[in-house]
Amino acid sequence: MGTIAASIRRERTRTGLSLTEVARRAGIAKSTLSQLENGTGNPSVETLWALGVALGVPFSHLVDPPRPVTRVIRAGEGPATRSERADYTAVVLATCPPGARRDIYRILIEPGEPRVSDPHMPGTIEHAVLATGHALIGPADAPEELHPGDYISYPGDAPHTFRALAPDTSAVMVMEHI
């Protein structure tokens, strides 16, 4: 029940809808939804299906939510498409899921203390491509060593770190808010 409660709360927060509005859309009482979010209710399959529709997510996201994963694409790897007219290659690193919002940053960091970040809002995924230098980037408990051109994605809603291992380290960072 704790997983379902956390999933309902996470998805409602993601949509920005009030308890009242989600309950109305799902055709259930606001008190029932409140109990479900607090882990004290016992939802039926029908109630969870209705909540999934109201929140715009599959039923499975409420009972077995997707698990954030760390993904690394090394320089020279990934699905590459070449141009016929120019010396140009596009490598897809990550596609944008429906309803996502993204912020893009250029990061400049020097060796010394690592940048340790507290979790961002639920559902945040960070993507980084190391441009120059050498760094450890990713989940605080399992950062990956990256070299120029390497790509990583990891859950931004969990503690994470960025530590320069060489002077003049820089990266392009994309924060995806779902």
Side-chain angles (χ1 to χ4, degrees), residues 6-22:
S7 295
I8 293 169
R9 194 172 36 257
R10 179 193 67 243
E11 294 301 330
R12 187 177 64 78
T13 300
R14 178 191 59 81
T15 64
L17 297 173
S18 67
L19 276 169
T20 302
E21 181 59 19
V22 172

Side-chain angles (χ1 to χ4, degrees), residues 40-100:
T40 58
N42 187 16
S44 67
V45 169
E46 293 79 11
T47 298
L48 290 175
W49 276 108
L51 284 169
V53 170
L55 295 166
V57 297
F59 173 86
S60 62
H61 282 213
L62 299 179
V63 296
D64 186 24
R67 288 157 184 74
V69 296
T70 298
R71 186 169 158 224
V72 176
I73 298 175
R74 301 289 179 196
E77 295 178 353
T81 305
R82 289 167 179 60
S83 171
E84 294 177 350
R85 299 181 185 155
D87 187 5
Y88 178 92
T89 302
V91 178
V92 176
L93 301 177
T95 58
C96 187

Side-chain angles (χ1 to χ4, degrees), residues 117-144:
S117 297
D118 290 328
H120 302 301
M121 59 189 196
T124 299
I125 303 291
E126 289 195 2
H127 304 265
V129 177
L130 197 68
T132 60
H134 181 203
L136 287 171
I137 304 174
D141 60 351
E144 294 284 337

